[in-house]
């Protein structure tokens, strides 16, 4: 079967079986083309709540599928490839954060959405990279314990100087591996290009950037800008998608290593198999986990607008 034939079969099956396909922007183009909704983590979380279908297929990583399940417990939620996880989401467990809460009882625990459902049960409010600053500013408490990404946390702390933000030492192994030297070299090599980076990059990289934002933020900025050249400091598929969308502009990679193997583990054939009912993994969460964990997602949507 050609890619087009596989895509046509997926389109037919998803209609027949009442399936909504959600795909994060880090997925490959051929997957985005068969999705009903694409976007960053925040957009996908909001979409999950409104999709009318009885089955949702998440092409992304496990915590994204868990978020859909929490928001729509009555739906069948399938993670297209069961091995697709976010290593950052697994960095802390419930016990460690519970102990930290005992150490810092006056702090509001703000969790990046890249956390497991289990961890969310002990957090107060979730944020995504596109909503973090707005949400933290709206929290009444001055004291914030921000988990698990210290780079995103440092970015938020800089934008919210009135808050007292405590960070923990976690983060994305893909974005955090980019060095300042790589950013300096890329800027020297492309002196007319603007540097756009994800806040999961280290602060010493982010401070060289012309724009810092979520995956959708970076894409919108580049599409709308009058500038013609950009160095993309997030997962390399974003540079590819932008090049496709804006053929008259030039997009350079900040680092060839900015590849999320987990996001990339989902293939178009995985999507086809899931639509045929014989692939992926159905997400199961206990009613107690859902009741407890969904509170911080609901709070995120309430404060994030
Ligand atoms: P976004 O919120 O920008 O989609 O980021 C998700 C993610 O995992 C980035 O690495
Ligand atoms: Fe997780 Fe990083 Fe991959 Fe995003 S890029 S899913 S934060 S490992």
């Amino acid at each position: 079967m050609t890619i087009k034939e596989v895509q046509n079969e997926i389109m037919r099956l998803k209609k027949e079986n009442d399936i909504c396909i959600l795909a994060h922007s880090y997925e490959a183009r051929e997957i985005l083309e068969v999705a009903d909704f694409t976007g960053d983590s925040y957009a996908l979380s909001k979409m999950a709540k409104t999709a009318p279908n009885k089955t949702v297929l998440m092409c992304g990583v496990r915590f994204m599928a868990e978020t859909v399940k929490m928001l729509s417990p009555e739906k069948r939620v399938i993670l297209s490839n069961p091995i697709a996880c976010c290593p950052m989401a697994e960095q802390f467990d419930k016990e460690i954060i519970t102990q930290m809460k005992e150490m810092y009882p006056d702090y509001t625990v703000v969790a990046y959405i890249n956390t497991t459902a289990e961890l969310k049960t002990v957090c107060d409010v979730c944020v995504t990279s596109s909503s973090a600053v707005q949400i933290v500013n709206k929290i009444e408490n001055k004291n914030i314990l921000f988990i698990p990404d210290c780079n995103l946390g440092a970015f938020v702390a800089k934008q919210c100087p009135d808050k007292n933000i405590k960070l923990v030492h976690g983060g994305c192994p893909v974005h955090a591996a980019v060095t300042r030297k790589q950013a300096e070299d890329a800027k020297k090599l492309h002196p007319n290009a603007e540097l756009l980076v994800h806040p999961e990059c280290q602060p010493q990289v982010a401070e060289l950037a012309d724009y810092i934002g979520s995956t959708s933020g970076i894409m919108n900025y580049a599409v709308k800008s009058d500038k013609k050249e950009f160095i993309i400091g997030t997962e390399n598929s974003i540079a590819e998608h932008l090049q496709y969308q804006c053929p008259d502009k030039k997009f350079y990679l900040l680092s060839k290593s900015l590849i999320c193997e987990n996001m990339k583990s989902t293939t178009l054939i995985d999507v086809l198999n899931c639509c045929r009912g014989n692939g992926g993994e159905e997400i199961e969460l206990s009613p107690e986990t859902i009741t407890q964990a969904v509170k911080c997602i609901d709070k995120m949507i309430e404060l994030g607008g």
Side-chain angles (χ1 to χ4, degrees):
M1 268 171 121
T2 63
I3 289 180
K4 195 75 214 140
E5 285 165 345
V6 176
Q7 287 181 318
N8 288 342
E9 181 62 357
I10 291 171
M11 297 305 273
R12 189 186 69 75
L13 285 167
K14 71 174 184 175
K15 213 167 167 188
E16 190 174 286
N17 298 328
D18 196 22
I19 299 170
C20 167
I21 301 182
L22 300 181
H24 188 270
S25 320
Y26 288 169
E27 296 296 329
R29 167 144 296 280
E30 67 259 27
I31 294 177
L32 299 187
E33 282 170 351
V34 294
D36 297 280
F37 301 109
T38 65
D40 64 8
S41 317
Y42 191 64
L44 293 182
S45 316
K46 285 183 53 178
M47 287 309 175
K49 228 175 146 75
T50 54
N53 316 69
K54 61 176 193 290
T55 300
V56 176
L57 185 58
M58 172 55 80
C59 305
V61 287
R62 182 171 293 272
F63 78 83
M64 296 175 175
E66 287 184 345
T67 305
V68 178
K69 185 68 186 172
M70 283 186 249
L71 290 169
S72 305
E74 73 292 351
K75 288 180 189 160
R76 273 184 82 227
V77 178
I78 313 283
L79 176 63
S80 310
N81 186 332
I83 68 162
C85 67
C86 168
M88 167 160 40
E90 323 265 332
Q91 278 165 351
F92 292 91
D93 60 24
K94 210 171 135 179
E95 285 66 39
I96 294 177
I97 300 303
T98 306
Q99 280 172 21
M100 290 196 77
K101 279 168 65 137
E102 281 162 15
M103 281 166 68
Y104 302 106
D106 303 334
Y107 282 65
T108 296
V109 182
V110 175
Y112 193 17
I113 198 162
N114 299 38
T115 39
T116 60
E118 211 200 26
L119 195 60
K120 287 185 178 87
T121 61
V122 292
C123 299
D124 298 307
V125 52
C126 269
V127 295
T128 66
S129 53
S130 59
S131 61
V133 172
Q134 183 188 345
I135 291 174
V136 167
N137 263 325
K138 282 191 187 167
I139 294 170
E140 275 180 31
N141 193 353
K142 186 179 162 60
N143 297 325
I144 306 282
L145 175 63
F146 193 97
I147 65 161
D149 187 343
C150 60
N151 293 334
L152 175 64
F155 168 71
V156 174
K158 212 170 164 187
Q159 310 293 313
C160 305
D162 297 340
K163 297 288 180 185
N164 173 29
I165 300 185
K166 205 167 272 303
L167 305 174
V168 292
H169 202 78
C172 164
V174 180
H175 287 83
V178 177
T179 63
R180 185 176 172 101
K181 167 98 172 53
Q182 282 174 311
E184 286 167 348
D185 289 350
K187 280 169 78 101
K188 263 186 223 143
L189 196 60
H190 307 292
N192 298 322
E194 284 198 325
L195 175 62
L196 317 183
V197 308
H198 198 281
E200 287 173 11
C201 290
Q202 297 182 61
Q204 55 268 39
V205 173
E207 70 193 20
L208 296 176
D210 297 285
Y211 173 80
I212 307 169
S214 74
T215 49
S216 299
I218 289 176
M219 291 181 89
N220 291 338
Y221 181 96
V223 169
K224 288 192 191 138
S225 171
D226 295 335
K227 295 273 166 31
K228 292 286 174 212
E229 295 180 53
F230 305 90
I231 303 160
I232 301 299
T234 190
E235 219 278 344
N236 289 341
S237 50
I238 297 299
E240 252 175 66
H241 300 329
L242 280 167
Q243 194 61 75
Y244 186 86
Q245 219 177 322
C246 311
D248 58 322
K249 296 183 178 178
K250 285 186 179 157
F251 298 94
Y252 310 111
L253 303 179
L254 172 55
S255 157
K256 283 188 187 147
S257 310
L258 262 167
I259 295 172
C260 178
E261 301 291 351
N262 283 285
M263 285 281 191
K264 288 286 143 50
S265 63
T266 300
T267 64
L268 193 63
I269 296 299
D270 290 332
V271 181
L272 175 66
N273 288 336
C274 290
C275 291
R276 284 176 170 159
N278 55 13
E281 178 187 323
E282 181 168 358
I283 300 294
E284 314 253 18
L285 296 172
S286 71
E288 300 76 48
T289 302
I290 293 181
T291 311
Q292 204 46 42
V294 78
K295 288 183 196 162
C296 60
I297 304 279
D298 286 338
K299 193 83 189 149
M300 169 182 85
I301 293 174
E302 179 199 320
L303 295 179

